[in-house]
Amino acid sequence: MIRSDQENIGLLISGSQLYGSYASVFVDKTARKITLSNRAFGYADRAMCLTKPQACNAKTMSYPQYEQLLKQFTKEDADALFAYGTAWAGMVQANSADWNAVAELPKVKATIQRVLELDEMISNGDAHVYMGVMESLLPAAMGGKPQLAKEHFEMALKISNRKNLMALLLYAEK
């Protein structure tokens, strides 16, 4: 479907979400996970570029430039921005052995933070789940923010009326 309508933002977002979910949940082999995560990110990147043409090179921007770009997004753009942030997070996770990929986490976090500012209800509270995970990656002694992570997980559960099972699982795990 995407091949036949390559400028359909909704299809690109859906394709990105499907490839990203499949890569993170069902794939064990690193090389395959990287391939699928890259495809998910490619679709999300195209959706971003179609949403905001100035975002076409967002991944290669410096952090200050990227922060300025994020300010241009509105609530109407939140779906594309969320797809971009989650696909980017998946790509970083798949490439976690590559320190250059890990170094992109601040931009990923800034992306999800902007999504929360625009529409914290998006995807049944999943933006809060992503922030909860990112805030719990490090222990408090190394700069992690477990209390803030807890608040994000609890907000995701509140938004979903405790029906977001991934939020429950990751809250318990993290």
Side-chain angles (χ1 to χ4, degrees):
M1 289 171 58
I2 292 172
R3 280 191 205 143
S4 66
D5 192 359
Q6 296 186 21
E7 294 192 3
N8 185 318
I9 293 171
L11 285 177
L12 290 166
I13 290 170
S14 294
S16 174
Q17 291 169 336
L18 288 170
Y19 273 98
S21 296
Y22 187 81
S24 67
V25 176
F26 297 112
V27 178
D28 293 328
K29 295 188 188 284
T30 302
R32 182 86 172 124
K33 189 175 283 216
I34 289 170
T35 299
L36 294 172
S37 297
N38 287 345
R39 179 167 290 179
F41 183 77
Y43 286 154
D45 189 45
R46 282 175 35 206
M48 273 275 283
C49 191
L50 290 167
T51 301
K52 290 257 186 260
Q54 59 271 39
C56 289
N57 65 347
K59 188 174 182 288
T60 61
M61 290 179 178
S62 69
Y63 188 82
Q65 290 172 317
Y66 190 70
E67 278 186 312
Q68 292 305 311
L69 173 69
L70 288 175
K71 292 177 184 176
Q72 297 175 30
F73 283 84
T74 64
K75 185 171 182 163
E76 292 76 34
D77 308 320
D79 286 331
L81 191 60
F82 186 58
Y84 186 77
T86 57
W88 200 354
M91 197 169 65
V92 168
Q93 181 185 21
N95 290 282
S96 62
D98 177 1
W99 287 104
N100 290 321
V102 174
E104 296 173 347
L105 272 175
K107 286 186 191 175
V108 174
K109 189 174 177 181
T111 304
I112 301 299
Q113 182 59 48
R114 181 63 178 152
V115 169
L116 285 170
E117 292 166 6
L118 297 172
D119 183 6
E120 74 173 342
M121 307 292 277
I122 199 164
S123 192
N124 209 25
D126 278 346
H128 281 288
V129 175
Y130 274 86
M131 285 302 286
V133 169
M134 285 190 274
E135 295 295 358
S136 64
L137 288 174
L138 297 173
M142 294 179 67
K145 298 177 183 167
Q147 183 58 38
L148 186 54
K150 179 180 177 183
E151 290 171 17
H152 280 294
F153 285 123
E154 289 175 351
M155 183 57 78
L157 293 170
K158 180 180 177 185
I159 290 169
S160 71
N161 294 317
R162 298 193 66 81
K163 292 181 180 168
N164 186 331
L165 299 180
M166 189 57 72
L168 283 167
L169 174 74
L170 290 171
Y171 186 17
E173 184 181 292
K174 303 293 180 185

